[in-house]
Structures are given as C-alpha cells and as structure tokens.
Amino acid sequence: MKVLMFGWEFPPHITGGLGTACFGLTQGLSKAGVEVLFVVPKAYGDEDEQAVKLVSASNIKLNIKEAGFGKHWEKVTFIEVGSSLIPYVGPEDFAKVMELSKMRKLSQTSSVFQESFEFSGKYGTNLIDEVSRYALVGASLAEKMNFDVIHAHDWLTYPAGIAAKEISGKPLVVHMHATEFDRSGENVNPQVFDIEKNGMEAADRVITVSNFTRKIVIDRYGIDPEKVFTVHNAVEHVIKPELSEVDRNVDEKVVTFLGRITYQKGPEYFIEAANKVLKRDPNVRFVMAGTGDMMHKMIRRVARLGISTRFHFTGFLKGDDVDRMYALSDVYVMPSVSEPFGISPLEAVRSNVPVIISRQSGVSEVLTHAIKINFWDVDALADAIYGLLHYPAMNKMIEKHGPEELKEMKWDRAALLVKDIYLQVVK
Amino acid sequence: MRSVCFFFQVHQPYRLRTYRFFDIGDNHHYYDEYLNRSIINRVTEHCYIPMNNLLIGLIKKYGKKFKVSFSITGSAIDQMQQYAPAALKSFQELVATGNVELVAETYSHTLVALKDKDEFKQQVQKHCDKIEELFGKRPTSFTNTEMIYDDKIGEMVAEMGFKVMLTEGAKHILGWKSPNYLYCNAINPRMKVLLRNFRMSDDIAFRFSEQKWSEWPLTADKYVQWIKQVGENQETINVFVDYETFGEHQWSTTGIFDFMKALPAAIFKNTDFEFATPSEVANHLQPISAIHVPQPISWADEERDTTAWLGNDLQDEAFDSLYSLTEKIKHVDDPSILRDWQYLQTSDHFYYMCTKWFTDGEVHKYFNPYPSPYEAFMNFMNVLSDLMIRIDRYLQNLEKNKPKPDTILVTTI
C-alpha cells in the first residue's frame, strides 16, 4: 500500500509535537509494509529518510499556463483569504505581526501563482499563502503520483488533502493532532475552524490523537462519530545514553515546565503552584523552558511574586537540550488547559522523571503512573509537586512502572491501527 | 451437631478530607465529615437498620435455633455515635436478644498485627472495652482485620486469652482439605481456628445479583441444596461476609433480604444443620488438625494475601512512616492525638493506595474517595506529617515542663 502524506514539519526541523508524531508514525507504517510519500513545505536535506520518501513542496514547479491548472485552483480557492493566519500565536504577538505586515505592505496572494515558490515551512505572516500554494502542490502531485490513500496532518495540509482527493478520487484520511479550540480556547479563528471542519467533512476517515480530541471533533465540529477513530500517539524509546546522566550544578530539586508559553499550555498555573510550594519549601527550583506569546507576562508575574531567584526561564530548547533538561528535572509538570495528546510527559517518563499532567489532556488517557490534576486546581498541583519532592515512594513507583507502561506505547502499534483505518477505505 | 456459622463484619473507616501540604503544622482537622456522615447514614438506612430488624425478626421466630455473630469496629461505632445513633441503638437491641456473639478485633481495623505486638494488644483491649461498655459483654472470640492470619498472629491472640479465631479458608493453605471442620493453631493447639468457606460466602456476598452467573438467581432452596451436598461428616459451614452485603453491596431490589428471611426455615426443614456462633462451634467440636499458615493470609482479592494493603512502594513507605511513631506515642497522653493515631492506622487508607486495581478489582473502587493510589498516598502522607509535628510538639512541651535534673542535683547536694 502506498500513501501520499501531507505534513507541515519533519524532524529535525520541528516546533512541536506534530513533527515528532509524523516521524514516529511513518517509521511504524514503513515497518508495517506501507510505503509513504511524505510532502513537506520545505525539505532541508538533513531529514531521516529511512522510512519515507520526502518531497519538498518548494521543489515542485507549477506551470500556471498548463491547461489543467485552473481546475486545481478551483479546488483550493476556498482558502483564498486575505489575512495573516498564524496558528500558534496569541493576541499579543498577532498585533505585532499585523503592524509589520502593514509596514511592508505585503500583497497576500500574488506570489502563490509563481512558477516556483520558496516555502518557509514556518508559521509566519504569509502562512495562508503557503497553505494555498501547498494545496496547489498537493493537487499537482496527486495527478502525477501513484498511491492508494491520502493522509493529511492538521489543518494546514487539509486543503492539499482535499485537492488531492478531488483530483485523484482516492480516499482521504485527515489526522487531528490539535483543534482550534485547543489552541485558542473559545476565541477560535473562524477561518481555521472552517478549514478544519471542511477537511474533516471531506475526509473518509478522521483520526484523532485521543478520545479527548475525538469528543471535541464530534461535539464542536459536528463530525459523524462513525468515521472518527482514536489512535493514541506513542513515544520513541531510544534516548542517547550521554543525555540520561547530566551533571547538576544546583543542590535543589528541579521542577520543570517545558513547552510553548501560550494560553493552551497553562503556564500561569505552574507559576501560582510554584509560589505555593516555595512558601513552604524554599529549597526547590522551578524552570520554565520554552517560549511563546505569554512569556513576558509570565516573567512579570514571577517578578511580582518575588520568586525570581527560584524560578528560571530558559527560552526555547531543542534537540539534545530537551533531553538534558529532562535529565536535570525531578518533577515534570504539564498543566495544559487543553492538550489533544501531549507527547512531552512520555519523554519525561522515558528519562525517569515523574510527571504531573492535567486531566484535560489526551496523554492522561494512556498514562496511569502519573499524577493527574485539573489544570485550574492550583492547590492540587502544588500538593502534587510537594508530594513528589518529599515522599520518595512515589518516585520509586513511577520509575518502576513508567518504563513498563511506555513499552506498550509504540509507534509500531499506532501505525498498525492507522493501517487498519486505511484498509477500511481503500477499495 | 452440624452448624452454619454466620459472621458479619461491620466496619467504617474515618475517610480523610483533601489535606494539602500547606495545612501541615497548621490545621489538625483530618476527616471528611460530609463524606463520612453521608456514607454511614446511607449504610444505616440501606443495611444496618433493615437487616438488624430482619435478624431480630428471625430470632424472635426461631428462638435459640437462630444465631449470628458480628464484629463491629471501634471506628464504625464511633461514627454511629457521632452521626447515626439510631444505628447503634439498633445493634444494641439486636445483641440484647442474646442470640448474637460479638467478636473482638483491633479497635480501628488496623494492620498492626503485622507490625507491633504491644500496640496490637492495646488496640484489641480498647476494642473489647468499647464492646463491653456498649453491649455489656466482653468478647471471647477474635478476628483480625480483613481475616489476616498466620501461625504467629494466632499464637499472639491465644496469649491474650482468646479461645477461637476466624480466618479465610484460603485454597493455597487448605489444599485438598475442607474448610468445613474446626482446626487449631499450628503453634498453640488450644487456639481454635474457624475457616471461611469462601465459595458459600461469596455466593451471597459477590455473586448473588450477578445475572451472568450460571446459578443466578440464587434462592434459599438452592442454597440449602448446596448445604445438603456437603459431606456427611463435615461439621461447620462458615459464612463470613461484610455486613454491607445486605442492602448496600446487594441492593434490596436484588432480593437479598427475602433470601435471608427464607434461609433459616429452608435449612431447618431440609437439613440437620443448626446455627451456631464461633465460640459455640469451638466449644462443641474437636479440632480435626492443625492448620499451618507460615505467611499471612486474608480474605481479600484472588490472592488471599496482604498485597491489597502492603507491598507496593507507596503502601510500604506510608506504613513504615506511620509505625516509626510507635515509640514516641507511648509517651503521649493527649486524647486527640491518640484518636488520630488510631484512625490513621485503619487498613482502608492502605487499601486506597493499592495499585492492583489498575488491572483488577471493582471492589477496590467501592467507597474509594481517591481517583488514584498516588492521590491516596500523598493525602495520607500530608496528614501523617502533621500528626508527626503534633507529637513532636507535645513531647517538647512535656520536656519543658519537667523539673530540670540539674536543679534537683543542686538541692540534693
């Protein structure tokens, strides 16, 4: 079986869990005998192509004068909207971005129709141009390539998936790694919402990364439950040995938050809990690793609470630094407000770090040996942190059983479930 | 004489409230009053009162032929006195019929038998005192918490003057032997041991309302047929169940009360069995042999061992931290500290920390106030940390108020 797969990220060029998940899944699919043609906006040449054939959309030249081209464009025009769409940016940064684009007087769509187009593959100001262009590439590839099923990851690639389905008549599977409700709470961007909804409606099957997300897809987008299937994410089991032991240069215990500092991740709850713990036990250090639109606000809050000597910001961490951060941590906290899955707690467990996760996360459905709290319950969060730092039996238990649990969460297994879903729709 | 020996366990723990670490050293109120009150009221209404009335009715009808036995823990009695006095009154009426034997155990249903002999003896005395005070009789039979038993515990209980002890007829202990005889302790043969017939007990306690069970629905006549099938020379059928079976675990709509109401008549009519209490069985029968129990057994779960309460890291740390206080507590004479020391030992707290229910056991979730063993552990440890601080403060005060040895020295010179 051959899959035409549309993604936005592929390791090592990733900003979040999406790229990691795509990588793990394609590895698993390849082992299951599924051939994957993976399209990214821009390939850098250093990606691991053992399991997939990577296609860089930047290298696909489109001939606008070609007879069939108008047909392609018709299929994707519904996303031709003239505003800056930035999925992982909150209101504060958005305002800044708007200022910039006004100054530069960017024309939004003209470049989409050029013969060649250099994708940034990021989530910048001309994202909607990139999404449109990517859809055109999708349509073009669908015409040239030979495949059995189309698989599109997250809304950025849904227009491409739909176009490819229209052109080829092949079944479409869309994969919801996150919904607009996770990213933005109740302030959803209606354009993104529409693209997600259209994508899921056009799809033959919808894969959600958790039952938590499945419920949102059914309740908030009105998608037919019959075609929505949950396939939980997994985690890679290998960790570089040199990263598992790191010299610590502080005596205190370290409690870590690692992720984008955005509304979705609940950073403010982490800070309030830290404050409560520090009042009782000053011998703890808290680390907020990552960056995001709420970072400055969070730094101000920490300063106002007067805990800055015990609360540290690292900025964005990537690659090996992430594993080093885990190795330095005694407790890992993910207080997400709405987390479709959340691979990072599994990575922490892999590094033998006990985790506290919010119940509003997909990962809480699969991880039993973790402390689960409601994200808003700062007292419970503080209590869990205190407990993990003071009652060593919990660490022992989690260290003993965590790895066993992880063994069950293999991408190979997830890939088999995805393959089953392909088989349902491939004639 | 062949007999059916009914034993009912009545127990309620003092469940802890959500106790945060910032309460430690500051707030010494540990219990979830609302939860404890509502549970004991619910059980009183669904089980204690209706079932007590049913038993009183049966006793009136059959006189000396119908007898039962109970253990009512101190923490259950305390909660009845606190929240449900009608329940206690009802038990007193039932015991006053004279056809009820009250069996002793540890005051607040603890695991201390596995840890500390002196403390164990004290807790049993405390329970006996309470029973004597409220019911006018001092128990002579004994059952340890959750039927936990091994040879040494049996010997220790014999030393205290008890004549008979109740425990589980665990398969791995009995092998081919039958639980339907009187046995004796392997170290001290004067201590008689009654073994629970778990099949006949669980038919009532667990399977009664299970519609998938091939024997469903269970009627008194059917149950009597099973009693009749018991080998002719077998002497006692020990049916030991949680009292909440009647009306709470098995709702009244399942017909459990009708079953119990009909059972004595059906037994009298069709068999030569009578009803007897543990001390009567022990007095009338000769032990058939010693029962060897080198490792502790209990009536819980499939394993019938102590792993429901002890063995995982959380349980062991909580247990060891708690009993690290035994030396200090001997010097404490503060009623509120001593009360909390008792209630914190209740086995249920350790049951909530069990991780076995991740894979099996709906029973473990029953009445369990915690979403996971980790929460149970953290909450318990926070409370225990506070108790430790209180004990230390108490002992420091004691030290301060003592006459200083050096001043004594000066005066004597």
Side-chain angles (χ1 to χ4, degrees), chain A residues 273 276-277 280-281 359 368-373 377 379-388 390-398 400-401, chain B residues 18-26 311-318 353 355 358 371-375 377-383 385 389:
Chain A
K276 283 184 185 261
V277 173
R280 177 135 206 138
D281 179 2
R359 289 185 207 286
T368 33
H369 290 280
I371 319 262
K372 297 168 194 175
I373 46 122
D377 196 344
D379 284 353
L381 174 55
D383 206 43
I385 294 170
Y386 183 88
L388 282 169
H390 290 82
Y391 311 134
M394 293 212 286
N395 300 301
K396 263 195 264 171
M397 277 287 280
I398 292 174
K400 200 180 286 174
H401 298 288
Chain B
T18 301
Y19 188 93
R20 301 295 186 202
F21 71 98
F22 39 77
D23 293 327
I24 300 171
D26 180 40
N312 78 31
D313 291 316
L314 305 179
Q315 295 167 321
D316 290 350
E317 178 164 296
M353 297 174 203
T355 37
F358 280 145
S372 95
Y374 291 104
E375 272 92 349
F377 171 78
M378 276 193 295
N379 207 49
F380 180 86
M381 291 304 285
N382 285 346
V383 170
S385 303
I389 289 174

Side-chain angles (χ1 to χ4, degrees), chain A residues 77-328:
Chain A
T77 41
F78 69 90
I79 53 144
E80 189 198 357
V81 280
S83 83
S84 292
L85 267 184
I86 303 154
Y88 300 129
V89 170
E92 285 179 23
D93 273 8
F94 186 75
K96 258 184 255 160
V97 166
M98 289 311 288
E99 282 301 305
L100 272 178
S101 56
K102 263 183 230 157
M103 275 157 54
R104 288 184 197 157
K105 293 198 172 52
L106 290 176
S107 63
Q108 295 288 337
T109 50
S110 57
S111 62
V112 172
F113 298 104
Q114 291 163 1
E115 191 183 349
S116 25
F117 181 98
E118 188 62 19
F119 283 91
S120 73
K122 302 262 166 55
Y123 302 95
T125 43
N126 55 346
L127 186 67
I128 204 66
D129 281 5
E130 301 209 355
V131 169
S132 308
R133 173 72 183 197
Y134 189 77
L136 286 176
V137 170
S140 162
L141 284 169
E143 199 162 50
K144 289 181 210 153
M145 303 292 197
N146 208 353
F147 54 89
D148 306 297
V149 61
I150 307 154
H151 188 154
H153 294 280
D154 264 4
W155 70 272
L156 297 149
T157 73
Y158 290 176
I162 296 170
K165 177 180 174 168
E166 294 276 341
I167 300 288
S168 66
K170 293 287 161 59
L172 170 65
V173 175
V174 302
H175 205 131
M176 291 295 280
H177 294 267
T179 70
E180 183 57 13
F181 291 97
D182 304 311
R183 290 181 291 259
S184 312
E186 291 307 308
N187 308 314
V188 294
N189 181 323
Q191 287 157 329
V192 175
F193 175 85
D194 284 344
I195 294 175
E196 288 179 330
K197 190 167 156 68
N198 288 332
M200 288 191 277
E201 280 170 351
D204 299 276
R205 289 289 182 274
V206 177
I207 296 175
T208 53
V209 294
S210 61
N211 294 326
F212 176 79
T213 302
R214 184 171 184 269
K215 192 168 182 327
I216 295 175
V217 160
I218 293 165
D219 293 349
R220 309 298 293 263
Y221 294 82
I223 304 301
D224 176 11
E226 296 278 308
K227 69 174 190 183
V228 188
F229 294 83
T230 295
V231 176
H232 286 110
N233 279 341
V235 66
E236 286 303 309
H237 292 265
V238 273
I239 181 164
K240 292 180 191 161
E242 70 268 22
L243 297 176
S244 58
E245 290 295 324
V246 174
D247 284 341
R248 329 180 56 153
N249 35 26
V250 290
D251 299 331
E252 296 89 351
K253 301 267 179 138
V254 176
V255 182
T256 303
F257 169 106
L258 198 155
R260 288 190 311 276
I261 306 179
T262 59
Y263 158 82
Q264 186 194 349
K265 303 291 178 180
E268 65 267 50
Y269 303 102
F270 181 70
I271 293 175
E272 299 308 320
N275 188 42
K276 283 184 185 261
V277 173
L278 286 168
K279 271 190 192 151
R280 177 135 206 138
D281 179 2
N283 291 316
V284 189
R285 285 180 192 272
F286 290 85
V287 175
M288 185 167 275
T291 182
D293 60 340
M294 279 174 73
M295 181 153 160
H296 291 158
K297 199 173 154 194
M298 293 301 105
I299 294 173
R300 286 198 300 274
R301 179 66 186 151
V302 166
R304 189 162 306 154
L305 290 169
I307 54 173
S308 298
T309 57
R310 295 281 153 185
F311 197 111
H312 313 281
F313 292 86
T314 67
F316 182 71
L317 297 182
K318 67 175 185 181
D320 291 354
D321 285 342
V322 173
D323 284 322
R324 266 188 213 106
M325 192 63 237
Y326 288 131
L328 272 175

Side-chain angles (χ1 to χ4, degrees), chain A residues 354-369:
Chain A
V355 297
I356 303 168
I357 54 183
S358 73
R359 289 185 207 286
Q360 289 68 36
S361 71
V363 71
S364 70
E365 294 165 17
V366 294
L367 202 56
T368 33
H369 290 280

Side-chain angles (χ1 to χ4, degrees), chain B residues 284-309:
Chain B
H284 292 150
L285 299 180
Q286 283 303 312
I288 191 161
S289 81
I291 186 86
H292 290 269
V293 187
Q295 297 294 326
I297 56 169
S298 80
W299 73 354
D301 299 349
E302 273 304 301
E303 296 89 340
R304 301 291 202 269
D305 58 12
T306 57
T307 55
W309 305 276

Side-chain angles (χ1 to χ4, degrees), chain B residues 63-335:
Chain B
K64 289 287 161 211
K65 288 166 78 181
F66 184 75
K67 288 165 190 166
V68 293
S69 63
F70 276 92
S71 173
I72 311 173
T73 64
S75 60
I77 293 175
D78 288 347
Q79 291 192 60
M80 287 180 213
Q81 289 182 315
Q82 208 175 346
Y83 304 123
L88 181 60
K89 206 170 149 251
S90 167
F91 278 110
Q92 285 171 324
E93 267 174 51
L94 174 61
V95 175
T97 60
N99 293 17
V100 176
E101 178 178 358
L102 289 178
V103 177
E105 65 165 299
T106 55
Y107 189 84
S108 42
H109 208 62
T110 73
L111 304 168
V112 69
L114 299 166
K115 194 75 183 181
D116 190 288
K117 194 169 172 177
D118 293 340
E119 178 66 28
F120 172 74
K121 287 186 175 177
Q122 273 190 34
Q123 292 184 16
V124 175
Q125 293 306 337
K126 193 171 152 70
H127 185 245
C128 291
D129 293 345
K130 185 91 180 180
I131 295 296
E132 193 172 10
E133 177 202 328
L134 291 171
F135 297 97
K137 282 192 243 178
R138 203 164 178 88
T140 58
S141 307
F142 185 82
T143 182
N144 196 25
T145 303
E146 305 289 324
M147 305 255 150
I148 293 172
Y149 177 88
D150 65 16
D151 296 337
K152 285 192 181 140
I153 292 172
E155 187 199 16
M156 179 164 77
V157 173
E159 265 175 42
M160 297 173 70
F162 290 101
K163 305 274 188 291
V164 57
M165 202 168 157
L166 284 58
T167 187
E168 174 68 23
K171 249 189 228 160
H172 68 278
I173 294 300
L174 279 167
W176 54 268
K177 285 181 266 179
S178 160
N180 304 336
Y181 292 99
L182 184 66
Y183 290 85
C184 66
N185 178 262
I187 300 170
N188 184 342
R190 295 180 57 191
M191 169 54 88
K192 313 284 173 32
V193 180
L194 283 177
L195 299 177
R196 174 174 177 264
N197 184 319
F198 65 80
R199 202 183 66 86
M200 300 288 278
S201 300
D202 292 346
D203 286 339
I204 297 174
F206 295 123
R207 290 182 280 273
F208 186 80
S209 61
E210 207 179 291
Q211 303 202 6
K212 280 182 221 150
W213 182 32
S214 59
E215 300 294 348
W216 186 86
L218 179 58
T219 59
D221 287 335
K222 191 183 278 180
Y223 198 77
V224 167
Q225 286 311 308
W226 294 339
I227 293 177
K228 280 178 84 173
Q229 284 164 20
V230 165
E232 255 176 44
N233 53 355
Q234 301 192 7
E235 297 165 309
T236 177
I237 297 172
N238 301 321
V239 179
F240 304 165
V241 298
D242 268 329
Y243 200 43
E244 286 85 22
T245 297
F246 307 102
E248 180 64 47
H249 299 326
Q250 310 290 348
W251 291 357
S252 84
T253 50
T254 64
I256 189 79
F257 290 121
D258 301 325
F259 170 82
M260 286 303 285
K261 214 172 186 170
L263 189 61
I267 289 177
F268 297 142
K269 193 176 155 201
N270 299 303
T271 74
D272 58 345
F273 277 85
E274 291 172 20
F275 288 89
T277 68
S279 63
E280 289 176 336
V281 175
N283 284 336
H284 292 150
L285 299 180
Q286 283 303 312
I288 191 161
S289 81
I291 186 86
H292 290 269
V293 187
Q295 297 294 326
I297 56 169
S298 80
W299 73 354
D301 299 349
E302 273 304 301
E303 296 89 340
R304 301 291 202 269
D305 58 12
T306 57
T307 55
W309 305 276
L310 294 173
N312 78 31
D313 291 316
L314 305 179
Q315 295 167 321
D316 290 350
E317 178 164 296
F319 192 68
D320 291 342
S321 308
L322 179 66
Y323 285 106
S324 71
L325 296 170
T326 31
E327 277 313 305
K328 284 184 183 172
I329 208 82
K330 286 178 182 159
H331 307 286
V332 175
D333 192 22
D334 174 301

